[in-house]
Amino acid sequence: MAIAHIPATKATDSVATVLVTVGVVLLALLTLYLVGFDQGAISRGGMFLHELMHDGRHLLGVPCH
């Protein structure tokens, strides 16, 4: 029994590219929010995570005090 190979079309390639791009942008925005603006509201992982994000703000030059 043979398996038919259907080559990807430009439409499916562009849809996949758009989905990957949207996913990467959303992940980048979430990371930016957690590091730059969260102040412990969402990152409830204890003081370690809060201090890690605080140091990240200083490294990126984002004012946090």
Side-chain angles (χ1 to χ4, degrees):
M1 181 176 264
I3 298 175
H5 174 69
I6 301 172
T9 62
K10 287 186 179 185
T12 57
D13 286 344
S14 62
V15 169
T17 303
V18 168
L19 288 176
V20 168
T21 303
V22 168
V24 167
V25 167
L26 288 176
L27 185 62
L29 288 174
L30 176 66
T31 302
L32 178 66
Y33 173 76
L34 286 175
V35 172
F37 307 107
D38 180 33
Q39 300 289 336
I42 290 179
S43 59
R44 297 282 185 194
M47 287 305 292
F48 174 75
L49 189 57
H50 174 76
E51 291 299 322
L52 181 68
M53 296 300 171
H54 183 252
D55 293 343
R57 283 188 285 277
H58 284 292
L59 287 172
L60 293 174
V62 177
C64 61
H65 296 267

